Amino acid sequence: MRFQLLGPLALADGPDTVVLQPSKPANLLAALLLNANSTVSAGYLQRAVWGEEQPATAKAALQTCVLRLRRLFAKHGVTGTAIEAVPGGYRIVAGPPTLDLLAYRDQVRRATAMDHDPEAELYTLRDALSLWQGALLANVRSAVLHRDEVPRLAEERLRVVERVCDLLLGLGRCGEALVDLWTATRVYPGHERFHEQLIEALYRSGRQSQALAEYRRVKDFLREELGVDPSPSLRRLELSILRGEELGPVGQAALAASAPGRAAPVVSASGEAVGSGSASGEVVGSGSASGAVVSRVVRGETVPQPDAETPGSEPAPAPASGPDPAPGPNSATIPTPVTAPALTSAPAPVAAPAPAPVAAPAPVTVPPGAATGAPSAAGACAPSVDAGVGPVPAVPHFTGRAAEAEAMAARLTAPPSTGPADHRALAVVVSGAPGIGKSALAQHVARQVGDAFPAGRLLVRMTRGDGEPRTAGEVSAALADALGATGEGRALLILDDVVDADQVRPLLTPGGPPGPGPGLAVVVTSRMGLGGLIATHGGWVQRLTAFTEAESYGLLLAALGAERVEAEPEAAHRLTAVCGHFPAALRILTARLLTRPGLRLADAVDWLGDDPLARLTLTDSPGHSVTGLFDRALDRLDPRLSQAFTHLAQGPPELLADGGPEHEGPVPEAVREQLADAGLLEDGPPGPYRIHGLLRAHVRRTARIRDRRTEKV
């Protein structure tokens, strides 16, 4: 059993996850886990549970909350972790295997020790960031924790994001850095270091005009919102771009300054300055020699306690006058605070010094067609080649697909087949409609079968963020580097969101990426059926369809928690029906419901049913929407196919039959086959094909909007 803090507070047991309902015991558990292996004073726990205005019975009620938590642990089979009553307060003992926050810090600490190997450090930091699962403590209603603790965790992540971007720039992989930096600069518009990295990445990629436009944007924001000018390092960078100077390689000083152990002030999107030191001013003592007694101040109250070291753990670091390093997983220190929402990439220090050249500069690559002197400043980066190769992330709240997952795992762990000498055998193709859960299934199974692939598992994004497919040459070059850094034995590749068979074939030949050992296993996910690839390279096909009613209900249970769902089972079933048992729709719905824990499911049915397409979107992340998903899928179609599909979706279901209504005329079978292969038509009944209700509603809604825009006034 594992506790999850880096997202909604949850208990996870393998693929099964239980998200706790907002409650006072949940507040208590979060406060203890945030300070795992340290004694937390009863006074602070009471404030975390009830706020600054506490009831007169808070002390006795705290003991009741502890009892309720212990019963919850027993109910879910939590063993090896207990809440201990100690003089002055309570303590919960955990380690990296049982608490994701400690596992994250352990990964970051190991990455910091790899500063001699930037590739290994980058891989380790990205693996650590994959543990973050969404909005921090979204289901914990504690103003004290959101004021004091969430900012600390967000800052830890920011410092790693910055470090990852510095590493990417130092390695010449500006295209990958841009993906993270566009998001970071929009979420944190006052974070000057992110802007500096973004401007540098654009300039090194030969995009001088965009780099200058980005500088003007952040300059205007700082002046209008904060009344300050850009930092000296940003102004120097602008001057270098205007002069067309070469920036040289990313300096070691910048890389060292961005190590996750360092800290620096951040300006949040609201313009509030956020420090890296302790917001509450508490003093944290260090561990002592065996048998010594340490006087530790936890959340403003002194609690004497024995040395908290566990066998094999490192002693707690002594207090330093400068910024505190991120605590180790078993250290008894309390993490340092900061304010900022979570990103989808990685953290790092803020206000790092301007990049300084090193003694032996890397060769400069000039983008094709660039004028000598301007984008020769591309420095270490050629024009953006974003390889999109990284570790396989975890899938939150994965549920359903039990038979499919078991069959895939059996295929992947079977002894590698000896196929023809001119190509590698393809293990599995996972196909189906957009949003049906292909990537989630592949990633979930890949993490389940990790022991069978000691050389590692890599997720390869075959399309860029703008939807454009990557070429096989780009991917092959990135894979050669990534696989070369892995260990011995078999490796597993997930080629995710493949556009067509021609994009994959070069990667399955002897000239493709070199496998680190015999039997490199390849899983392909694609909206297309890829029958031609199966015909030439073999493999096994897993075609996904919408969830069953039981699987949809199971997803609600896993994401929202049994207490909330089982209190209104009929409403829960109605919600899954409104979503058409479509996995992407259900995940967006559960994300919205988690951010509104007070909304009854019965009320959510009416709210969603009024306009499901408009409400199946995340307001803070418009890209996560059912309409956007369908639009991107239709944009990939040949215009003639798109027109035919629009005709089918707007017409009666009989259009999908072989003959079709007489007044409409039949749609050729070849066209219907192509649309089915693209995942837009599902197998019947009724008839050979049908269109999912949400997709049909989307096409009709889009047509109505288009017609209104073209009406004459």
Side-chain angles (χ1 to χ4, degrees):
M1 185 66 70
R2 181 184 181 90
F3 294 100
Q4 292 183 345
L5 274 177
L6 303 179
L9 179 62
L11 299 176
D13 184 8
D16 300 322
T17 303
V18 176
V19 178
L20 301 185
Q21 291 298 302
S23 63
K24 291 179 174 58
N27 294 358
L28 173 61
L29 179 59
L32 289 170
L33 290 173
L34 286 164
N35 301 283
N37 306 315
S38 295
T39 296
V40 188
S41 68
Y44 180 77
L45 291 175
Q46 290 168 21
R47 291 196 297 275
V49 174
W50 286 279
E52 301 298 344
E53 300 293 331
Q54 302 170 31
T57 59
K59 186 174 181 179
L62 180 63
Q63 296 174 349
T64 303
C65 283
V66 171
L67 290 175
R68 290 176 63 185
L69 276 183
R70 287 171 175 163
R71 292 193 194 104
L72 180 70
F73 288 2
K75 174 183 176 182
H76 291 288
V78 177
T79 58
T81 302
I83 300 174
E84 303 173 354
V86 295
Y90 292 90
R91 178 176 61 201
I92 192 168
V93 178
T98 56
L99 179 58
D100 60 354
L101 175 61
L102 298 186
Y104 168 76
R105 289 174 176 161
D106 187 50
Q107 285 276 76
V108 172
R109 183 173 59 180
R110 290 195 295 108
T112 304
M114 299 175 181
D115 53 1
H116 61 285
D117 186 350
E119 285 281 5
E121 182 181 359
L122 177 63
Y123 187 92
T124 305
L125 287 176
R126 282 189 155 170
D127 198 34
L129 288 167
S130 69
L131 295 171
W132 291 72
Q133 299 295 321
L136 290 169
L137 303 182
N139 55 337
V140 175
R141 294 179 178 175
S142 170
V144 171
L145 295 183
H146 282 277
R147 181 194 66 199
D148 296 344
E149 301 289 358
V150 169
R152 299 168 185 267
L153 297 182
E155 176 64 9
E156 287 188 49
R157 191 166 194 275
L158 278 179
R159 283 151 58 179
V160 177
V161 172
E162 189 177 326
R163 175 65 175 175
V164 164
C165 293
D166 272 334
L167 287 169
L168 289 170
L169 291 175
L171 292 167
R173 292 155 64 175
C174 297
E176 290 181 62
L178 284 171
V179 175
D180 294 339
L181 288 168
W182 282 121
T183 302
T185 51
R186 273 49 185 173
V187 175
Y188 304 100
H191 191 316
E192 290 186 71
R193 179 59 185 147
F194 281 149
H195 285 283
E196 186 177 342
Q197 291 172 315
L198 175 60
I199 294 167
E200 182 177 345
L202 288 168
Y203 186 48
R204 288 180 182 275
S205 302
R207 296 154 71 174
Q208 182 182 20
S209 59
Q210 281 185 273
L212 290 171
E214 188 62 26
Y215 174 83
R216 288 192 292 270
R217 201 185 73 81
V218 67
K219 179 181 178 181
D220 292 343
F221 172 83
L222 292 172
R223 285 184 172 176
E224 293 173 8
E225 299 295 328
L226 306 176
V228 298
D229 288 322
S231 65
S233 59
L234 262 176
R235 295 200 298 270
R236 284 194 297 269
L237 181 58
E238 181 211 21
L239 189 59
S240 295
I241 296 173
L242 290 172
R243 291 173 175 171
E245 297 174 350
E246 293 183 7
L247 300 183
V250 176
Q252 295 303 312
L255 289 178
S258 69
R262 305 276 183 98
V266 175
V267 180
S268 68
S270 64
E272 179 183 0
V274 182
S276 61
S278 169
S280 57
E282 70 269 24
V283 180
V284 182
S286 64
S288 61
S290 178
V293 176
V294 181
S295 179
R296 186 180 307 281
V297 179
V298 178
R299 301 294 172 239
E301 300 185 26
T302 304
V303 181
Q305 69 172 56
D307 188 349
E309 289 187 55
T310 55
S313 68
E314 296 183 4
S321 57
D324 295 331
N330 289 326
S331 67
T333 55
I334 299 170
T336 320
V338 187
T339 307
L343 285 179
T344 51
S345 298
V350 181
V358 293
V364 175
T365 304
V366 182
T372 304
S376 64
C381 296
S384 160
V385 178
D386 176 15
V389 179
V392 177
V395 182
H397 314 310
F398 186 89
T399 188
R401 310 291 193 205
E404 294 91 337
E406 183 179 357
M408 276 186 65
R411 297 285 302 189
L412 292 175
T413 54
S417 59
T418 55
D422 60 345
H423 67 256
R424 295 191 183 96
L426 183 65
V428 180
V429 171
V430 185
S431 61
I436 206 68
K438 303 178 292 294
S439 300
L441 176 63
Q443 293 169 28
H444 172 71
V445 173
R447 291 178 70 93
Q448 278 190 322
V449 299
D451 292 344
F453 298 96
R457 296 149 292 166
L458 293 175
L459 178 66
V460 185
R461 307 284 185 187
M462 299 298 288
T463 53
R464 300 188 182 91
D466 59 3
E468 287 298 311
R470 291 187 171 88
T471 66
E474 293 174 19
V475 176
S476 183
L479 277 175
D481 294 337
L483 290 172
T486 60
E488 297 298 323
R490 297 184 73 196
L492 173 64
L493 298 183
I494 299 177
L495 305 181
D496 189 45
D497 199 14
V498 168
V499 174
D500 55 37
D502 290 338
Q503 191 187 20
V504 180
R505 284 196 179 98
L507 303 175
L508 301 175
T509 63
L520 176 69
V522 179
V523 174
V524 167
T525 74
S526 178
R527 298 172 187 177
M528 307 300 293
L530 301 183
L533 187 66
I534 296 296
T536 57
H537 286 70
W540 177 74
V541 179
Q542 179 63 68
R543 183 82 175 181
L544 299 184
T545 59
F547 275 162
T548 64
E549 185 173 350
E551 287 175 325
S552 299
Y553 189 79
L555 177 57
L556 292 192
L557 285 173
L560 302 179
E563 293 182 16
R564 186 174 184 183
V565 174
E566 291 176 353
E568 301 179 81
E570 182 181 350
H573 283 292
R574 289 168 60 200
L575 277 176
T576 63
V578 173
C579 291
H581 306 292
F582 198 70
L586 289 166
R587 289 200 174 275
I588 292 171
L589 170 67
T590 54
R592 294 208 66 173
L593 290 176
L594 280 171
T595 63
R596 302 179 66 180
L599 181 66
R600 295 174 60 249
L601 298 188
D603 296 332
V605 173
D606 298 332
W607 163 77
L608 180 63
D610 287 343
D611 192 350
L613 289 171
R615 288 171 179 167
L616 286 172
T617 184
L618 302 181
T619 54
D620 61 339
S621 182
H624 289 85
S625 69
V626 169
T627 56
L629 179 71
F630 291 156
D631 280 336
R632 290 190 293 273
L634 293 172
D635 287 344
R636 282 194 191 178
L637 285 180
D638 178 279
R640 289 170 296 180
L641 278 180
S642 180
Q643 185 177 6
F645 181 72
T646 301
H647 175 61
L648 286 171
Q650 290 184 274
E654 292 76 19
L655 270 179
L656 293 169
D658 288 335
E662 293 181 3
H663 64 283
E664 292 281 359
V667 175
E669 182 180 359
V671 172
R672 286 179 281 145
E673 284 288 339
Q674 287 178 283
L675 291 171
D677 191 59
L680 298 176
L681 296 184
E682 302 175 341
D683 293 337
Y689 300 114
R690 58 189 171 86
I691 300 175
H692 191 279
L694 284 178
L695 183 52
R696 184 185 289 274
H698 170 71
V699 172
R700 291 178 173 178
R701 182 173 182 263
T702 303
R704 287 197 301 271
I705 294 172
R706 184 181 62 247
D707 292 343
R708 282 200 298 269
R709 287 175 178 171
T710 56
E711 285 178 357
K712 293 183 179 180
V713 178

